[in-house]
Amino acid sequence: MSPNPAIMRSVEQLGYRVTVGDVATQIGLNIAEVNQGLLALAADAGGHLQVAESGDVVYQFPRNFRDILRNKYWQIRLKEWWKKIWSVLFYLIRISFGILLVASIILITVTIFIIITASSNRDDDNRGGSSSRSNNFFFFPDLFWYFSPNYGDNYQERRREKGEKSEMNFLEAVFSFLFGDGDPNANLEERRWEDIGAVISNNQGAVVAEQIAPYLDDIGEKYQQEYEDYMLPVLVRFNGFPQVSSDGQMVYYFPELQVRASKKQRRSISEYLHEFSWKFSAASSGQILLSAGLGGVNFVGALILGNLLKDGTIAAQIGGLVAFVQGIYGLLLAYGTGFLAIPLIRYFWIKRRNDKITTRNYQRQERARLLAGADASLQKKIAFAREFATEKVISKEDSVYSTETDLLEQEFQNKQIGDR
């Protein structure tokens, strides 16, 4: 069984001495998974179990446990190597779209130039051809205006005047314009359960449903119902138990989250789970305009080139590069169309998705406001929950047995302490 990276990070953050409850509230995994993960990690990394008189278990890990695992498992080293290789490969993929855009524009422009030059040479003896040549060249300088030195200087000057800053280069900005920069809420579930674990921990293992509701989704009308069914996943994950007061108020306590390896301060968390809105692109406005402009130039150039190549005779007469471009023209046109269509579709998709995110954030915020302005009934319910709140801290002195030393030696030492 490969060690869980989240559990490993939690062990390091908590000082290498942890309980199941410490880790579960830190990363939001369910109790059974944390218990199994800590046992596996202790077995693989040379960790030790310390048992208190109460029967509670504390896990003690060496500070170099990652080095121990790395030397033991070639799979971990392989993953680390692949992570480094993939970061390079993904960067090359990102910049490839910008390279393809520039290459496409250059290829289309050069091909058009060759066709027009060849056509003009054939029409030198025809005085009427000058009018035609004038019409053909009408569009030609427009294809190059983005590449002129003056445009580059003006673009940089405008950025300095606006004070814009961007860590992206142009090639990275093209990828961002096309596909965005990933899901801003990719770790939403991790954040959700971390926050719920923190709420339970801050309240010493006993809460009411209204304290958890601002971090949940899709509870709808259940929030107003007498039976708080939406709490079931929380109870399952953290091995909790419901308790009903004499007047029918229901609270929830989590015994295994009340046991800690050390005294810890309250964790600071937001009042409700906030989802981040999707951004169209992290590139600067200037980079977005440049990408869109070049995409437009590429698309218009592809249409003009298609008009010149439509009968196929020119490519057959000139051959060479023109014949090659004739063969891949479908790809050039598809790339030019997709370069403009993908961001446009993505813009409307993001707008629709952000509307839903705004609605969910509003609903969770409203539940947080109800909790902040708790009425007499809710305050009484919270007070009842505090009756089950407790915190048990197991220090090293409380340990009766530990796997660090021989069992017989520990029994002898414990007997001597008892005789005293």
Side-chain angles (χ1 to χ4, degrees):
M1 177 180 177
S2 180
N4 188 315
I7 292 178
M8 293 167 64
R9 287 195 302 270
S10 180
V11 167
E12 291 172 326
Q13 293 169 359
L14 293 170
Y16 302 92
R17 189 172 183 271
V18 299
T19 64
V20 172
D22 287 333
V23 176
T25 55
Q26 177 82 6
I27 60 177
L29 289 177
N30 65 65
I31 292 294
E33 188 174 353
V34 171
N35 192 34
Q36 185 179 15
L38 285 175
L39 283 172
L41 183 60
D44 292 337
H48 301 288
L49 277 64
Q50 299 173 352
V51 183
E53 290 185 2
S54 59
D56 297 304
V57 177
V58 176
Y59 293 84
Q60 177 74 54
F61 293 91
R63 292 186 174 273
N64 65 334
F65 75 87
R66 282 189 182 271
D67 295 331
I68 296 173
L69 290 173
R70 191 176 295 112
N71 294 331
K72 188 172 183 178
Y73 287 109
W74 66 267
Q75 297 98 323
I76 295 178
R77 279 183 281 180
L78 186 61
K79 285 182 180 179
E80 291 179 351
W81 290 337
W82 172 246
K83 187 177 180 180
K84 294 177 182 178
I85 294 172
W86 173 245
S87 64
V88 176
L89 290 176
F90 184 65
Y91 181 77
L92 294 176
I93 293 172
R94 287 178 64 193
I95 66 174
S96 67
F97 287 89
I99 295 173
L100 286 174
L101 174 63
V102 175
S104 176
I105 293 175
I106 293 175
L107 186 61
I108 290 172
T109 303
V110 171
T111 305
I112 292 174
F113 179 77
I114 292 174
I115 293 173
I116 293 175
T117 302
S119 299
S120 62
N121 288 337
R122 286 195 302 269
D123 297 337
D124 276 343
D125 294 334
N126 187 350
R127 296 300 179 183
S130 60
S131 174
S132 173
R133 186 162 58 253
S134 174
N135 291 334
N136 284 338
F137 270 95
F138 176 78
F139 67 87
F140 192 73
D142 294 342
L143 294 177
F144 279 101
W145 77 280
Y146 268 108
F147 296 101
S148 67
N150 291 335
Y151 174 78
D153 293 340
N154 293 338
Y155 170 66
Q156 294 296 338
E157 184 177 350
R158 286 197 301 272
R159 284 195 61 195
R160 283 194 294 269
E161 289 174 356
K162 293 180 181 180
E164 292 179 353
K165 293 182 179 179
S166 174
E167 296 181 357
M168 287 187 181
N169 57 44
F170 166 71
L171 297 178
E172 294 171 326
V174 169
F175 183 88
S176 178
F177 170 75
L178 280 172
F179 304 109
D181 306 281
D183 185 357
N185 301 299
N187 64 338
L188 182 67
E189 287 305 306
E190 294 178 15
R191 289 171 48 213
R192 182 195 313 280
W193 291 110
E194 286 177 7
D195 286 350
I196 290 175
V199 170
I200 297 172
S201 178
N202 289 345
N203 288 277
Q204 296 183 318
V207 295
V208 298
E210 287 81 358
Q211 292 172 305
I212 303 298
Y215 305 93
L216 298 175
D217 286 327
D218 302 325
I219 63 178
E221 296 179 356
K222 292 181 180 180
Y223 185 62
Q224 304 295 337
Q225 290 178 358
E226 180 181 357
Y227 301 104
E228 299 161 342
D229 296 341
Y230 56 87
M231 284 295 295
L232 290 176
V234 182
L235 296 175
V236 171
R237 178 172 286 260
F238 295 118
N239 201 19
F241 300 91
Q243 187 71 32
V244 182
S245 67
S246 56
D247 56 354
Q249 299 279 22
M250 185 174 290
V251 302
Y252 308 89
Y253 71 101
F254 303 82
E256 294 182 57
L257 303 189
Q258 296 174 329
V259 181
R260 301 185 178 185
S262 60
K263 185 72 174 179
K264 294 180 178 64
Q265 295 181 343
R266 289 174 59 90
R267 290 162 57 187
S268 177
I269 56 173
S270 60
E271 295 180 349
Y272 65 97
L273 181 65
H274 179 78
E275 282 186 75
F276 304 113
S277 297
W278 285 66
K279 290 183 61 177
F280 178 76
S281 172
S284 67
S285 58
Q287 290 174 325
I288 293 175
L289 288 174
L290 177 60
S291 299
L294 288 176
V297 168
N298 183 57
F299 180 70
V300 172
L303 293 178
I304 295 171
L305 179 61
N307 185 60
L308 295 174
L309 294 173
K310 63 182 179 180
D311 56 3
T313 57
I314 293 179
Q317 293 173 359
I318 300 176
L321 179 64
V322 177
F324 170 74
V325 172
Q326 171 81 49
I328 65 168
Y329 176 72
L331 294 176
L332 293 175
L333 182 61
Y335 181 79
T337 304
F339 194 92
L340 297 178
I342 290 174
L344 183 63
I345 294 171
R346 197 167 58 83
Y347 172 80
F348 290 105
W349 179 83
I350 287 175
K351 187 176 184 304
R352 181 179 177 185
R353 186 147 193 168
N354 282 343
D355 289 341
K356 295 180 179 179
I357 289 175
T358 300
T359 300
R360 288 195 296 268
N361 281 337
Y362 175 77
Q363 291 172 346
R364 289 191 291 260
Q365 188 177 23
E366 284 300 302
R367 296 178 211 137
R369 287 175 178 171
L370 289 175
L371 178 63
D375 55 19
S377 176
L378 181 54
Q379 289 177 0
K380 185 178 180 180
K381 188 177 180 181
I382 294 174
F384 178 62
R386 292 196 183 109
E387 296 179 12
F388 298 88
T390 184
E391 184 178 80
K392 184 190 296 184
V393 178
I394 303 175
S395 64
K396 292 184 178 181
E397 291 74 18
D398 295 325
S399 299
V400 178
Y401 295 107
S402 174
T403 56
E404 292 179 89
T405 55
D406 184 79
L407 181 61
L408 293 176
E409 181 181 344
Q410 292 180 73
E411 289 181 347
F412 177 73
Q413 291 176 349
N414 291 334
K415 184 178 180 180
Q416 284 186 322
I417 294 174
D419 292 340
R420 293 176 187 174

